[in-house]
Amino acid sequence: MSVPRWVILVLSLACGVGVSTIYFPQAISSLIAADLNVSAASAALVVTAAQFGYAAGIFLLVPLGDRLPHRPLIVTLLVLTAAGLLAASAAPSLPLLVAASAITGVTTVVPQIIIPMAAGLVPAERRGAVTGTLLSGLIGGILLARTFSGTLGERFGWRAPYLVAAVVVLVLAAVLSRAVPPTTPSTQHGYPALISAPLRLLRTEPDLRRSCLYQAMVFGGFSAAWTTLTLLVTGPTYGMGAQAVGILGLVGAASMFSTPLAGRLADRRGPDTVSLLAMLGTIAAAALLVPAAGGGRAGLLTLAAGMLLLDVAVQSGQVANQARIFALRPEARARINTAYMTCAFLGGSAGSWLGVRTYDRFGWRGVTGLVTTLGVVALGRHLHHVRRARPNRSGFEKREAARHP
């Protein structure tokens, strides 16, 4: 099936808008803390709740992408997301805001339905490039969301980003009600079978398991760094406002241009090559972020450079992992993506929680140590896979040489 380029671009925009709703609270947590009279660490629970909700939504709702037509499913979830954002904007206390944030996270899983859908609509030789394009939109949403909320929140209060986001999501729902191509469900399995399938796939697909581990580790480090970045920048080290966090997000948005390149590299050289580069980039980014603990102009520059490298590394790894897993079971891409993204966002949620605790106890250098540790765990697992796979590849090459002297 041929999908027009403009449709891919609209779907990329939808991925960005959809995922932004769980990231823009990172830039305004200090404003939430001041307005609701709670600590900065407590306000950061809004971010953690959104990510836990997102992981739950992926597990509970994304498998429906194999069972239901995509267009009505996507539009319905967007309308529910807008309702959750409106509820968050009106929350009078932190517990209610955390609850609304978690509920919004559950329903804002549209990108994880769009990406496997699009992978099934294009030829295999274009899958990496199209996945990279969609992920570039998703990354733009993640990073520009902080600029949007930091700037708007600083000027009009933390509730304004929620209100504006609700309106944007409703407009997007109207556009996608016409732009999403008609699709036919790939399975007639009932809902219990659908939500149990990701667990079975994790047991039976070793490449899925290692892809989940890779992303859970590096995304955990990414979430730890971005969640605590607000505490660092708005704290005594820099003494800046929420808008500064948004500007740093704008710098990081340059990473959205790297994902199509990562997708093409995965198509040419294989996903494992991109995964290795992503892990090394994560570790290098953590080292680059260490001097930011000292503050000043030099610290701010290394902070911007390190966060940009971290963004590029994590999102390139995402491209590689999804290119790898979407090739496993074409008839079950949504269920495979469910297993993968659930693990990734559980890792991200845990990273946010650990990051705040690490920052409270050890400061920014402790957070960079956490990012390094998680990157090393992923790298160690990857090198173990390479060592185990090399004899098999050598045997294959020998057999091919014997067959074709």
Side-chain angles (χ1 to χ4, degrees), residues 205-211 213-214 269-276 279 321 324 328 376-394:
E205 296 289 348
D207 280 347
L208 175 59
R209 289 197 300 273
R210 68 183 178 95
S211 297
L213 177 67
Y214 293 169
R269 301 288 299 275
D272 280 358
T273 298
V274 180
S275 289
L276 176 60
M279 295 164 195
N321 290 328
R324 183 185 300 113
L328 297 176
V376 168
V377 170
L379 179 61
R381 175 64 182 88
H382 183 67
L383 294 178
H384 176 68
H385 165 76
V386 170
R387 284 195 298 270
R388 292 188 62 184
R390 186 176 292 121
N392 294 333
R393 283 201 301 269
S394 299

Side-chain angles (χ1 to χ4, degrees), residues 49-69:
Q51 292 183 335
F52 271 120
Y54 197 65
I58 290 169
F59 184 77
L60 296 172
L61 299 178
V62 170
L64 294 173
D66 287 336
R67 179 66 177 81
L68 301 175

Side-chain angles (χ1 to χ4, degrees), residues 177-196:
S177 67
R178 295 186 175 274
V180 174
T183 57
T184 302
S186 62
T187 182
Q188 296 298 316
H189 290 312
Y191 183 69
L194 286 175
I195 62 172
S196 63

Side-chain angles (χ1 to χ4, degrees), residues 27 31 146-147 150-152 154-155 240-248:
L31 301 176
R146 303 184 182 102
T147 305
T151 302
L152 200 63
E154 191 82 30
R155 192 161 188 178
M240 304 172 79
Q243 189 171 6
V245 181
I247 292 172
L248 285 169

Side-chain angles (χ1 to χ4, degrees), residues 149-284:
S149 64
T151 302
L152 200 63
E154 191 82 30
R155 192 161 188 178
F156 300 106
W158 66 267
R159 299 178 191 274
Y162 284 99
L163 288 169
V164 174
V167 173
V168 172
V169 169
L170 286 175
V171 171
L172 180 64
V175 173
L176 292 184
S177 67
R178 295 186 175 274
V180 174
T183 57
T184 302
S186 62
T187 182
Q188 296 298 316
H189 290 312
Y191 183 69
L194 286 175
I195 62 172
S196 63
L199 298 176
R200 292 196 301 271
L201 289 166
L202 278 170
R203 288 197 302 269
T204 59
E205 296 289 348
D207 280 347
L208 175 59
R209 289 197 300 273
R210 68 183 178 95
S211 297
C212 289
L213 177 67
Y214 293 169
Q215 198 64 11
M217 293 297 103
V218 297
F219 189 55
F222 173 91
S223 298
W226 270 109
T227 301
T228 55
L229 178 73
T230 302
L231 304 179
L232 175 68
V233 171
T234 61
T237 302
Y238 291 96
M240 304 172 79
Q243 189 171 6
V245 181
I247 292 172
L248 285 169
L250 188 60
V251 171
S255 66
M256 65 189 292
F257 299 106
S258 70
T259 50
L261 299 176
R264 286 192 285 273
L265 181 60
D267 287 338
R268 291 197 306 269
R269 301 288 299 275
D272 280 358
T273 298
V274 180
S275 289
L276 176 60
L277 293 174
M279 295 164 195
L280 294 174
T282 299
I283 296 168

